[in-house]
Amino acid sequence: MQASPVLVSSDDLYLFNTGQLFRAYRTFGAHPIVFEGSFGVRFVLWAPRAQEVAVIGDFNDWNVTDRSVKLAQIGTTGVWVGFGPGLSEGVHYKYEIVNANGKRQLKSDPFGFQSELRPNTASVVTNLDCYEWQDSEWLDDRSNHPPYEKPMLIYEVHLGSWRMDEPEQFRDYEQLSQELVDYVCSMGYTHIEILPLTEHPLDRSWGYQATGYYAATSRYGPPVGLKKLVDRCHSRGIGVLLDWVCGHFCKDDHGLRLFDGTPLYESSDFRRAEKPLWGTLAFDFSKPQVQSFLLSNALFWMDVYHIDGLRVDAVASMIDLNFDKPESMRALNRFGGTEDVDALQFLRKLNETVFLYYPESLMMAEDSSSYPAVTSPTYLGGLGFNYKWNMGWMNDMLRYMEIDPAERSSHHSLITFSLHYAFSENYVLPLSHDEVVHGKRSMLNKMPGSYQEKFSNLRLFYGYWMTHPGKKLLFMGGEFGQFDEWKDYTGLDWALLQYPLHDSMSRYVGELNKLYLENEALWELDHKQSGFEWIDVNNSAQCMLSFQRNGKSSEYSIVTVCNFSRDTHPIYRIGVSQPGVYRLLLNSDESDYGGSGFELSSTAHTNNVPLHGKPYSIELSVPALSIQIWKFDTA
């Protein structure tokens, strides 16, 4: 069956080959259409060095026969097109390619909208336009209220292991749209962030090594189920973020590697193509067709699945040519430096494109590098993200919290250094999945001391995290003190909630989340220096910290007092800005949260005693390993 070029417009071909076809998924892949009076499926593929291309599948017993769909290349565009009359949604298919070396190979569709359940790897013809969304109110509100001056509590989740009754017995998207969404709402989170949902062959890659960039993984059911999950999140006021991996892809034969027998999606220079740390291949960002593929994919998740934003994975590895590479693979860019200039240009173009169509979206960089201006606009030389994960804060704080309290006084700078740069970017403070796997231990088990002290330290740490400038992200299980590190092949240890300290931790996190949401001072000026001021930053000897968070109105300021030592201070004085009465909002040492129950007054009256550069002061009692959060009482 020879293809007719009119199946694809010349404008689309031009834009694709110049890196400007931002909805390439509408052209490429498998689409049910009516062509010349016949209903069937149009197939469009980029494979410039292929000698022959045909579509085979369950409709012809997976053999190249007269019933195959033969594709024809359109001129010198590198694009192949064909039409299969009589084919329809649900057909399983692959491309059989006679590659540049004359070898026959079977490939899944790079633009396939659905894949078979692993270990099978065929693509499935799927119509994604048949769902009636009910989230118009959410989308309107999202457009009118930018995120910067709003609270953001992100619950990071791996759908497969959030709840699992038996190994590989995953909850499907529709089940999760009830159970997960109800749980997230009950805990007070504003967003969920889902580990990658692009189709991937190996469960234990967690989706970070993908083959099907346009296919929501079939592990959890058909695409319509994911739409229902997102729709229900929106109906309950929950935003949905997706981990997105545009830096590299896996080498499985049916995927993108050597797609037409030559390096197509990857660079022909092995030093640039290989990612030895992960055993994957980097995308070649210099190719305009690869740009069209990836830029379209970013918009695809927002267009088709109403995703509210993307967390872009491994930015540091993208922008450094020599990231974790041996000396033999070191390379320089065309200017003699080690930055990947093409990757930097791609990231800028990515953010410009996304914000052109979705100005209210969230674009977050998971970036461990010190590259500047990640969240500055591209017209000012920045990368154009609107948020960056604060990996420095996370590393410093976890290092500090793992130190025995008796030794913390000499490491005081670890908990204060972040305020030197806290407003240089728009930050998210991540306590993510990466910190609770591969022998790093769970958040609870990182904490030093006795069993009881581990919980005290974790409550203290979470309180400091919640009152520190920056949006918040917590990986699932951290909210109830999962004791073992994350086991991706089983469900979370929900049975721990029958034990008092774990149940108390869950209630504490819920109360902490609620307190955060209800107090503008904890998020309204997150990205401005005026939103934070130290009260006493220098008390390293007693491992004490106190500071004030400010909102737009000084009436709503919050005062936080942290004791990172084992010593209780029955009398402890700090300076405050306003005269009157301060009301205790939260004490992590309350017996209801699993604390000692050391009796505290719920109010503190100011004295005309200047302290810490403030005109007034209040006298408090501060239990060991605890945090207190106070608010000026305007009543």
Side-chain angles (χ1 to χ4, degrees):
M1 299 177 188
Q2 288 298 313
S4 168
V6 299
L7 282 166
V8 179
S9 77
S10 59
D11 287 345
D12 282 359
L13 295 174
Y14 172 79
L15 292 171
F16 177 75
N17 282 313
T18 56
Q20 300 177 83
L21 188 60
F22 299 146
R23 262 66 182 240
Y25 68 89
R26 295 176 180 173
T27 299
F28 287 78
H31 293 266
I33 64 168
V34 175
F35 178 63
E36 295 182 343
S38 297
F39 182 85
V41 175
R42 181 192 67 191
F43 296 93
V44 181
L45 180 72
W46 178 52
R49 300 295 179 85
Q51 298 181 32
E52 298 177 19
V53 179
V55 179
I56 63 173
D58 55 5
F59 61 93
N60 71 345
D61 297 323
W62 300 97
N63 291 308
V64 176
T65 66
D66 290 341
R67 295 174 58 222
S68 304
V69 181
K70 303 291 181 63
L71 274 62
Q73 186 169 187
I74 304 176
T76 59
T77 63
V79 175
W80 297 72
V81 61
F83 178 71
L87 301 185
S88 61
E89 187 173 6
V91 164
H92 293 214
Y93 70 98
K94 281 189 176 182
Y95 293 108
E96 181 172 87
I97 297 173
V98 179
N99 69 24
N101 304 310
K103 180 182 177 181
R104 292 186 181 272
Q105 58 187 37
L106 289 179
K107 291 286 190 179
S108 301
D109 190 345
F111 284 89
F113 293 152
Q114 187 176 354
S115 297
E116 289 183 304
L117 180 64
R118 52 90 181 101
N120 296 325
T121 57
S123 302
V124 182
V125 177
T126 304
N127 180 6
L128 294 179
D129 297 328
C130 56
Y131 182 77
E132 293 187 13
W133 287 90
Q134 305 296 316
D135 63 348
S136 58
E137 184 176 343
W138 166 269
L139 297 179
D140 290 342
D141 182 72
R142 187 182 72 179
S143 297
N144 296 323
H145 297 90
Y148 306 103
E149 297 177 0
K150 295 174 62 177
M152 191 182 298
L153 284 173
I154 305 169
Y155 187 67
E156 187 189 28
V157 60
H158 176 252
L159 294 186
S161 58
W162 181 69
R163 286 190 187 272
M164 191 187 302
D165 297 325
E166 299 289 341
E168 297 190 19
Q169 290 189 10
F170 306 125
R171 298 290 203 274
D172 63 27
Y173 293 121
E174 290 204 44
Q175 289 174 296
L176 291 164
S177 72
Q178 298 295 323
E179 296 178 15
L180 175 61
V181 176
D182 287 349
Y183 178 76
V184 168
C185 288
S186 72
M187 291 296 293
Y189 292 100
T190 63
H191 294 75
I192 60 170
E193 181 179 313
I194 306 173
L195 270 60
L197 291 179
T198 43
E199 191 59 82
H200 52 284
L202 180 66
D203 289 356
R204 304 202 66 185
S205 78
W206 315 327
Y208 289 97
Q209 297 187 10
T211 50
Y213 274 75
Y214 288 82
T217 179
S218 52
R219 287 166 176 78
Y220 315 126
V224 67
L226 177 56
K227 293 186 177 185
K228 290 179 180 178
L229 171 58
V230 176
D231 210 3
R232 187 153 193 272
C233 282
H234 288 172
S235 73
R236 301 289 301 277
I238 303 298
V240 182
L241 310 176
L242 184 64
D243 277 12
W244 189 62
V245 185
C246 60
H248 61 116
F249 56 90
C250 64
K251 295 181 177 181
D252 291 58
D253 286 342
H254 67 282
L256 301 178
R257 176 176 177 264
L258 298 175
F259 193 83
D260 61 359
T262 67
L264 189 60
Y265 289 89
E266 67 272 34
S267 171
S268 58
D269 182 345
F270 83 98
R271 297 174 302 170
R272 301 194 65 169
E274 292 287 342
K275 292 280 191 183
L277 179 67
W278 299 313
T280 55
L281 293 170
F283 281 102
D284 185 349
F285 301 108
S286 69
K287 293 175 181 171
Q289 299 88 347
V290 171
Q291 295 175 25
S292 287
F293 176 79
L294 290 172
L295 296 173
S296 294
N297 189 247
L299 292 179
F300 167 82
W301 292 102
M302 298 177 181
D303 289 345
V304 175
Y305 288 101
H306 290 202
I307 297 297
D308 298 288
L310 302 174
R311 174 267 203 185
V312 180
D313 182 61
V315 169
S317 77
M318 294 174 63
I319 64 179
D320 181 357
L321 286 172
N322 301 319
F323 184 87
D324 277 327
K325 292 185 178 180
E327 191 65 34
S328 61
M329 293 181 65
R330 300 277 165 154
L332 298 176
N333 62 35
R334 54 187 174 271
F335 304 110
T338 59
E339 295 174 342
D340 190 328
V341 176
D342 296 322
L344 289 168
Q345 290 177 343
F346 167 77
L347 289 172
R348 294 187 180 102
K349 187 174 180 179
L350 166 69
N351 288 314
E352 288 171 353
T353 303
V354 168
F355 290 128
L356 174 65
Y357 294 100
Y358 292 98
E360 72 286 354
S361 62
L362 294 166
M363 293 295 290
M364 298 182 173
E366 189 263 318
D367 178 23
S368 58
S369 77
S370 58
Y371 192 86
V374 171
T375 58
S376 292
T378 58
Y379 60 81
L380 294 178
L383 291 187
F385 289 93
N386 53 6
Y387 282 97
K388 174 182 175 174
W389 277 23
N390 193 336
M391 311 295 277
W393 172 88
M394 178 271 298
N395 285 317
D396 285 349
M397 280 305 305
L398 291 181
R399 181 181 165 197
Y400 180 84
M401 293 305 303
E402 290 180 40
I403 297 170
D404 188 274
E407 307 296 327
R408 285 174 176 168
S409 61
S410 58
H411 300 275
H412 195 67
S413 62
L414 288 173
I415 51 173
T416 61
F417 180 69
S418 60
L419 270 302
H420 288 289
Y421 62 87
F423 309 103
S424 62
E425 306 274 8
N426 297 333
Y427 281 119
V428 172
L429 307 183
L431 300 175
S432 76
H433 68 280
D434 277 330
E435 309 316 314
V436 293
V437 290
H438 302 320
K440 295 180 182 178
R441 297 173 295 168
S442 70
M443 284 294 159
L444 179 66
N445 208 15
K446 292 178 191 291
M447 301 297 117
S450 66
Y451 183 68
Q452 184 86 28
E453 284 181 332
K454 286 181 180 293
F455 284 91
S456 297
N457 272 298
L458 189 60
R459 291 193 302 271
L460 166 59
F461 174 41
Y462 283 170
Y464 182 59
W465 164 66
M466 195 66 74
T467 51
H468 188 288
K471 308 307 182 185
K472 324 299 177 188
L473 178 143
L474 181 66
F475 184 59
M476 63 183 197
E479 73 275 18
F480 60 81
Q482 173 107 357
F483 200 83
D484 290 341
E485 68 177 23
W486 175 41
K487 303 180 290 294
D488 53 67
Y489 49 87
T490 64
L492 294 179
D493 296 329
W494 293 102
L496 288 174
L497 288 170
Q498 66 185 300
Y499 298 99
L501 283 177
H502 294 275
D503 180 60
S504 296
M505 177 60 73
S506 177
R507 282 186 282 105
Y508 173 75
V509 169
E511 286 298 312
L512 194 59
N513 289 352
K514 180 181 177 183
L515 183 151
Y516 169 82
L517 294 174
E518 291 177 349
N519 289 276
E520 295 94 331
L522 295 179
W523 40 262
E524 203 169 41
L525 298 177
D526 253 335
H527 313 303
K528 297 180 180 179
Q529 181 69 57
S530 59
F532 178 92
E533 54 186 290
W534 287 114
I535 295 174
D536 185 7
V537 65
N538 296 315
N539 192 352
S540 59
Q542 293 181 301
C543 301
M544 295 287 294
L545 271 184
S546 52
F547 55 90
Q548 180 171 307
R549 291 299 308 278
N550 302 315
K552 292 180 178 179
S553 171
S554 60
E555 293 182 356
Y556 304 118
S557 296
I558 295 290
V559 170
T560 299
V561 182
C562 303
N563 181 3
F564 291 95
S565 77
R566 288 192 176 97
D567 298 323
T568 293
H569 303 291
I571 300 176
Y572 190 82
R573 185 174 290 274
I574 64 167
V576 292
S577 301
Q578 296 166 285
V581 178
Y582 283 77
R583 178 167 52 89
L584 182 64
L585 297 184
L586 181 135
N587 166 29
S588 68
D589 192 53
E590 281 188 24
S591 56
D592 190 47
Y593 300 143
S596 71
F598 185 92
E599 189 172 344
L600 300 180
S601 172
S602 61
T603 58
H605 296 261
T606 57
N607 303 117
N608 292 322
V609 179
L611 188 64
H612 300 137
K614 307 292 185 184
Y616 311 98
S617 59
I618 54 176
E619 194 173 273
L620 312 172
S621 296
V622 185
L625 299 175
S626 72
I627 184 170
Q628 299 176 17
I629 302 174
W630 295 81
K631 185 174 183 179
F632 181 70
D633 193 342
T634 59

